[in-house]
Amino acid sequence: MAITAFDSRLFAGLLGHEAMRAVFDDRALVARYLDVEVALARAEAEVGLIPADAAEAIARAADPDRIDIAALGRETEIVGYPIVGIVHQLARLAGEAGGYVHWGATTQDIMDTAVILQVRDGLALVEAEIERVRAALVGLAAKYRDTPMAGRTHLQHALPVTFGYKAAIWLSMLDRHATRLDELRPRVLVGQLAGAAGTLASLGEAGLAVEAAFVRQLGLGVSPAPWHAARDSMAEVIGFLGLVTGSLAKIATDVMLMMTTEIGEAFEPFVRGRGSSSTMPQKRNPISCEVIAAAAKLVRRNAGVMLDAMASDFERATGPWHLEWVAIPESFVAAAGALRHAGDMLEGLTVDTERMRRNLDATGGLIVAEAIMMALARHVGRQRAHDLVYDACREVLEGRSGLLAALEAMPEVAAALDRTALARLVDPANYVGCAPDIVDRVLAGRPGSTH
């Protein structure tokens, strides 16, 4: 029976990501252990440390379907690590060549390099999901480039913006994450072959040559120094996932607030029955946004766990390493799940532009008080303009007038700005500043972009 939501028959489909679970499940991990053992044997054969036919016999025997997972689990419980059990089973399957399995390596060499292979596959899935989210945001930013809506600060109306501008800000975060992913790969996707204390003493003078051949077999980079006890790169990966899901949580928070009954400006795509309540048939709850927010909290927690795991003693840790066995798979599955939900939500986002306009007008023009003050200041000075507009706003807030009527009734204002000018200034759509230009700048240079 599953005990985590990511493996639960009830919750895995909601919270997880099927392809990412397949990267990190037990069979995949065993397959990566075997890939690493085969790469080690072939590298050692390449430099003449073991016979070439032994390396190929090991490769033929390294079939994950022939590994007894239950027996491996029992041996892992006794030994504390799974590699001894892997070596026992692989050596038996390889027959006479079995004596060359795991030649000169140590457990953590195999486990760390196997995890890097999983991380490589996991990052490829993350990259694909990021690109999906970016594409959806490009579409929203372009479509709603000029659509005015209320910009809000401290949950209050501030100044008009456009919905395209909001989407472009969301997109800019994902753009930076795509850059971060490109930058971290060379640091992270490196193999580990260092032996018992990191010096490769068991391989003699051939140590560095074997290491070079080993990582080449796996398509990984060479680390300048062993990282058995230097875990910054692993922490960086989960920190990166924390940044990605943190940005998704910001988007989800905005959408959840926009879905509230009182605002009603944007909604997750409608799917019959999704987000419904067992007692309130009118409900349309922000399910994807809620899952994204929860996933972000989990990954953020695990980013802290990975920082704790960096406090490693001497040349091999006495416990912090074990934290990674939980934090890395969980973070990748949670992050991929959040990205999947973000893609689904943003691709089908329902945007109510009419409601955006009604909300803009809800304060009777108060949202553009700054625009009127700045225009009036050219005639009466900034401080006097501030005081006049302040008094007009008080009348609006007390329900005695709309802003345009209140301003027209002030002789000093009417002398400076005629009705046509005031009407234009009171229209929030005319005070979105550089919002459309910012959209253009974010979209510039993308394939197919006309901006």
Side-chain angles (χ1 to χ4, degrees):
M1 294 291 289
I3 61 169
T4 74
F6 294 114
D7 298 318
S8 165
R9 291 184 181 181
L10 301 180
F11 298 111
L14 176 65
L15 299 177
H17 187 284
E18 185 176 355
M20 191 66 81
R21 280 198 302 272
V23 169
F24 285 94
D25 68 17
D26 282 344
R27 186 187 184 283
L29 182 56
V30 167
R32 298 294 83 77
Y33 289 155
L34 295 174
D35 289 342
V36 175
E37 291 287 2
V38 169
L40 174 64
R42 285 176 166 160
E44 289 172 337
E46 183 178 318
V47 301
L49 277 183
I50 70 171
D53 58 353
E56 291 313 305
I58 292 168
R60 288 192 298 272
D63 179 353
D65 292 330
R66 300 176 69 189
I67 298 296
D68 185 335
I69 299 288
L72 182 59
R74 291 191 294 271
E75 194 160 3
T76 299
E77 184 178 357
I78 295 169
V79 176
Y81 305 95
I83 301 306
V84 170
I86 284 285
V87 171
H88 286 165
Q89 292 196 42
L90 181 56
R92 185 166 58 253
L93 291 169
E96 292 184 6
Y100 293 105
V101 171
H102 200 67
W103 190 271
T106 194
T107 286
Q108 197 168 350
D109 290 335
I110 308 304
M111 292 184 68
D112 278 347
T113 305
V115 168
I116 290 300
L117 295 177
Q118 290 181 301
V119 165
R120 182 172 65 185
D121 292 344
L123 289 177
L125 290 174
V126 166
E127 181 177 42
E129 294 287 3
I130 286 176
E131 290 309 306
R132 180 189 176 203
V133 172
R134 290 172 76 192
L137 290 172
V138 166
L140 290 171
K143 182 176 181 178
Y144 298 104
R145 173 186 184 270
D146 302 305
T147 302
M149 65 177 296
R152 298 174 174 91
T153 61
H154 303 279
L155 297 179
Q156 309 293 313
H157 277 208
L159 292 174
V161 297
T162 71
F163 185 59
Y165 161 85
K166 183 183 287 290
I169 289 178
W170 296 343
L171 174 59
S172 69
M173 296 188 291
L174 274 294
D175 285 346
R176 289 190 289 274
H177 295 323
T179 300
R180 290 183 178 105
L181 179 52
D182 288 339
E183 292 171 347
L184 71 81
R185 276 185 165 123
R187 290 190 293 271
V188 170
L189 300 183
V190 295
Q192 174 97 283
L193 181 64
T199 63
L200 285 168
S202 59
L203 299 179
E205 295 181 356
L208 294 181
V210 173
E211 180 192 26
F214 169 71
V215 296
R216 187 172 64 251
Q217 289 276 342
L218 295 168
L220 299 173
V222 176
S223 176
W227 48 279
H228 286 132
R231 312 304 290 184
D232 56 292
S233 294
M234 304 308 291
E236 181 181 8
V237 171
I238 308 307
F240 164 73
L241 296 179
L243 290 172
V244 171
T245 53
S247 293
L248 298 180
K250 188 278 185 286
I251 296 170
T253 298
D254 280 357
V255 173
M256 281 192 284
L257 290 171
M258 293 170 77
M259 283 184 69
T260 58
T261 304
E262 293 78 5
I263 296 177
E265 294 176 344
F267 300 88
E268 291 185 4
F270 176 77
V271 177
R272 184 171 180 82
R274 184 172 177 81
S276 61
S277 164
S278 61
T279 59
M280 294 172 284
Q282 83 279 11
K283 294 296 290 295
R284 185 174 174 181
N285 295 321
I287 299 302
S288 287
C289 292
E290 291 172 358
V291 172
I292 290 167
K297 293 177 189 295
L298 288 172
V299 179
R300 183 163 65 246
R301 178 204 67 188
N302 283 341
V305 168
M306 294 296 289
L307 293 175
D308 283 341
M310 289 179 66
S312 180
D313 47 288
F314 296 128
E315 280 62 58
R316 196 176 311 281
T318 53
W321 181 40
H322 298 59
L323 296 171
E324 297 182 7
W325 305 352
V326 177
I328 293 173
E330 184 176 275
S331 298
F332 268 94
V333 174
L339 282 161
R340 174 175 63 86
H341 277 285
D344 291 344
M345 182 261 289
L346 293 169
E347 285 174 351
L349 192 70
T350 300
V351 179
D352 190 337
T353 59
E354 292 182 3
R355 183 63 177 268
M356 288 177 175
R357 180 67 213 209
R358 291 203 301 274
N359 287 342
L360 264 178
D361 295 334
T363 60
L366 292 181
I367 196 169
V368 286
E370 179 190 81
I372 299 158
M373 182 188 75
M374 296 304 293
L376 188 58
R378 298 178 185 277
H379 302 277
V380 300
R382 187 190 180 285
Q383 190 55 51
R384 181 59 181 156
H386 177 278
D387 293 343
L388 288 167
V389 176
Y390 181 88
D391 290 341
C393 290
R394 298 285 72 74
E395 289 195 30
V396 176
L397 289 168
E398 291 169 8
R400 299 200 303 270
S401 175
L403 185 58
L404 178 58
L407 291 166
E408 284 184 302
M410 293 179 166
E412 196 171 353
V413 174
L417 299 169
D418 62 24
R419 191 179 198 286
T420 300
L422 284 173
R424 186 180 187 285
L425 288 167
V426 170
D427 184 351
N430 296 324
Y431 199 64
V432 296
C434 297
D437 303 302
I438 291 169
V439 173
D440 293 346
R441 190 165 63 184
V442 172
L443 296 183
R446 297 174 193 271
S449 174
T450 59
H451 298 277

